[in-house]
Each structure stands twice: as C-alpha cells, then as structure tokens.
Amino acid sequence: MKQITTYAALVAAAGAVLGFAGPGGASAATPERLHWTKCTASGLDPRQQCATLDVPMDYSDPDSPEIQIAVSRIPSEKPSARRGALLLIPGGPGGDSLADPSGKGQKLPQRVRDAYDLVGFAPRGMAPSTAVDCALDPADLGMTKLLPWPAPDGSIGESMATARRTAEACARNGGELIRHLSTANEARDLDRVRAALGEEKISAWGVSYGTYVGAVYGQLFPHRTDRIVLDSNNDPDHTRVTRNWLAAFEVGVEDNFPEFARWASRPGHPYRVARTPAEVRSGFLRLAARLDREPLPWPGAVPPRFDGNALRQTMLSSLYDPDDYPTLAKAIRAARKGTVPPVPEAPPEPVLQNVAAVAVGTNCNDVDWPGSAAEYHKGVDESRATYPLTAGMPRGPMVCAAWPFEPKEPTVRVTGRGPSNVLLVQNQRDVSTPLSGALKLRQALGDRAVMVTVNSTGHGAYLDNGNACGDRTVSRFLATGTRPASDLYCE
C-alpha cells in the first residue's frame, strides 16, 4: 500500500447537522447511517468493518446522481474511554485509507485506540468507491511520463505532448465523475461520512495531500472539527495548489540529498558510492548527464530505457524514506558499470489507471494551470540552473497544462478562522512536502494551529520517519487534547 501511495503522491500533489458548505449549500435532511459488514479484502484485522455511503456527484445540483464512498472502521478498543472517531485521511490524490485501521492505525498507542473508532475511506473516484479511469496508453503510466521530466537539453515538447494526450484521454474516457473530483468535494464527502457515523464533531490524522484535505475540511466545516493532526504538510496557496507542490520537489531534493550523500560516502559502508558527500553529488550529476547521452536498455520498464531521468526519478522515489537509500545507491553502482537496476515493482495496471485518473482529475480541477508552453520553458530553464538535481522537472507542464475543463468553483482559501484545535507535525527534511511549504500552512492557519518541527529525514513524521519527541507530542494531543503552548522543535 505504501508503494501505491508514494506513486500517487509523486503524481503529484479540504450549520446544522448536515450544513454542507459549497455551491448551492447542498445538504441532506436526514443523515444516512452506515450499515457495517465484514470486509472482503484479505490481510485485514478481523475487527475491521466495511460500509458504503451514497453522496452527490455534484453538490451544487440538487438532482445530481449519487456515487458511493467506501468506508472502513475498527471500533474503539475501550468503549468506556471512547471520545469519538479518528478519520485517517490518506495522501495522494490517488491514495486511500481503507486498510489503515488495520495497518498504521494499529501503531497508535493504546490510549488513542481506546479513545477513537479508527475510520478509513476510499476518496471519490478511487476503487472500491465509485471509480474513475482515463484508459491511458500504458506507455503513459510510467513515472517519467506522469511527471514532466524535460529532455536532456531542457526542452518540454514531449512533456506538452504527453499532457495533451493524457488530458484528451481523461476527457474522452473519464465520464462525468472526473469533472467532479476535487479537494473541496472530498471534504464535503467527509462531512457526509461524519454525519453517517453519528458524530457531531470528528478528529482526523491527515498525511501529505491529506493535510490539504484536512485544512480544507477545517475551512469549510470548522464547527465540525475536534482534534486535527496534519502530518507532512502542503503549502495551501489557493492560487497555485498543485503547481506549488510540484515545484516543491526542487527544494525538497536539495533538503534531502545531503543526507543521502553522507550516508553513501561513509567509509566501509556496503553501499558506498564515493569518498565524500561532495563527490556523491558531483558523481550523481555526471552519471545522469552520461545516461542522458547514452541511455541503457531497461527491458520491462516504462519506458524501456534507463536514462538520466530514470536515474533522477529513482533518486526522487528513494528520498521519501531513508530505508530506501540502498535502492538509489545500487542504481548508481549498476549504471556506472553499464548495467541496469531491477525494474521497480509497480501496482497492477488497473490500479495505476485508477490512481492516475484520480490524481489528474483532482489536481487539474482544483486550480487552473497556464496553457502557455513559453511560461513552462522559462520556469524549467530557471529551475535547471538553480536546482540541477531535479533538472527542471518541478516547473514543467503536467497534464493540467492541457486540461480542457475550467475549475467548477473557486479554490478554497485556508485561513485562521475557526477553533484552535490543529497540530502540525513536520520533518525538517522531507522531499515531497518540504519544511518551507509546511511553514506556509502554519502561517495560513495562524492561531488555529501549533507546529511541531522534527529533526528528522523522510516523508511522514508521526509514527513513521519522525522521532520519539514528535510522536509523544502528537499522541498526547490525540489522547488528551493537550498541545504545546507554542511551536516546538523536536531534536
């Protein structure tokens, strides 16, 4: 599941009982209740239960057809200590948390599992909720296609062509649902889930893109929020949204690569690739340039060549978690010898198609992207000069540059209006959601939030790549509601 979530994250990038905010003030007079049954998926905790919930496809249209949202839960382990429900908001767009009550939810300390029902879900468009699929050419499902890696000379012609081809396929095959994928609609769906659970307020733990969903939910439904943890945080700038998240990779890589370089230059290290951190960096850049000129055949990969961008993509994926550093080191050592690393294991094609469609639809519907190739050319050239490790990709044209639909509503602006019940937790060195972007969310939330910055490396802080101080602080907040009096640094 982590592999699919990482893939999606790279493609990358929230009144009355049912007083739904948004177009038309759509609401339901009587909340639907969830009917729990045994889950059919394998490998789950036997206590986990599953249900489905009908929600409007279009909240602005009273006659909109309904779609289904799949929901899961493990009830509180101590009913006498139960406070409510903890919604596990996944990353993405293109991730789901249906298995999380049985998975990462079981890493939560006992007092947190006693206090909450752990609730997961598959966002609109994600199977087994009502699913969307663009039926992309399989050749366009490779990561060096879905992310706008430029050509060796910095040109973006192939990226623009891929964007047009992908956008046309989604418009042709995505159906009406792909027009209604958005962060705001996911937040509205979550409020329907809250009501169906019978909760007046809900707590949440959102990770990566899930921090933006959580922030948007808190903006649309502030009076429905209880204790909110946002972990590995996105810049919420409503004028750019995913464009900023993509651009953040150039900073995130620079924040993280020095940690890999130190690791990969230690004397006696089995994966050592150079004598000093500086030589790791210069050697990586030389190797990527050589592979740009002389790519190696890579049978079974998409596309089937190990070129400079394949090496850069391997770097990007490996920096998500220090446990994955060996993958990058082995790729460097293999390519130096003229051989290729193993082809990374990928989810089955139907899963990739679904992930790609949800990621594309949500990202492109959230905010309008420029269509001018000249603007992307300028950004790519500037990025290549300043951030050579990422070779201009973070400012290139994703599929949204050719998206044929206008956003259906203004992007939600995250502000400090609402209860002070948000705790941000953020690793200092995060390749995907760097600290610089997290500070923007902290600023936007103002007095609503307190931020815990963790001296750690990797994507995902709480109970993942963080540290004991950060974990204790978040666990205490979820269990007791106690936050630090002010922003905290966890050494």
Side-chain angles (χ1 to χ4, degrees), residues 342-354:
V343 176
E345 183 182 354
E349 185 182 323
V351 174
L352 290 184
Q353 291 280 7
N354 186 213

Side-chain angles (χ1 to χ4, degrees), residues 330-344:
K330 287 188 281 190
I332 291 171
R333 289 156 68 111
R336 282 176 175 169
K337 294 185 292 187
T339 59
V340 292
V343 176

Side-chain angles (χ1 to χ4, degrees), residues 54-142:
D54 292 333
V55 301
M57 180 187 296
D58 182 353
Y59 281 92
S60 68
D61 179 3
D63 299 319
S64 170
E66 292 187 322
I67 58 173
Q68 283 196 330
I69 302 298
V71 186
S72 63
R73 77 167 178 185
I74 291 180
S76 157
E77 295 182 22
K78 187 177 181 182
S80 63
R82 184 185 182 278
R83 177 179 180 83
L86 180 67
L87 191 62
L88 307 174
I89 307 180
D96 77 81
S97 60
L98 278 176
D100 284 356
S102 295
K104 76 174 191 177
Q106 296 309 302
K107 295 181 181 180
L108 289 162
Q110 186 65 53
R111 58 181 179 164
V112 177
R113 301 200 311 272
D114 289 346
Y116 299 99
D117 299 345
L118 306 181
V119 178
F121 68 102
R124 58 170 52 210
M126 286 297 302
S129 296
T130 303
V132 67
D133 189 323
C134 292
L136 301 180
D137 186 319
D140 286 334
L141 289 171

Side-chain angles (χ1 to χ4, degrees), residues 11-13 93 242 245 358-367 369 398 400:
V11 177
T242 313
W245 304 345
V358 172
V360 165
T362 306
N363 288 334
C364 299
N365 291 334
D366 268 0
V367 69
W369 283 51
M398 284 184 70
C400 306

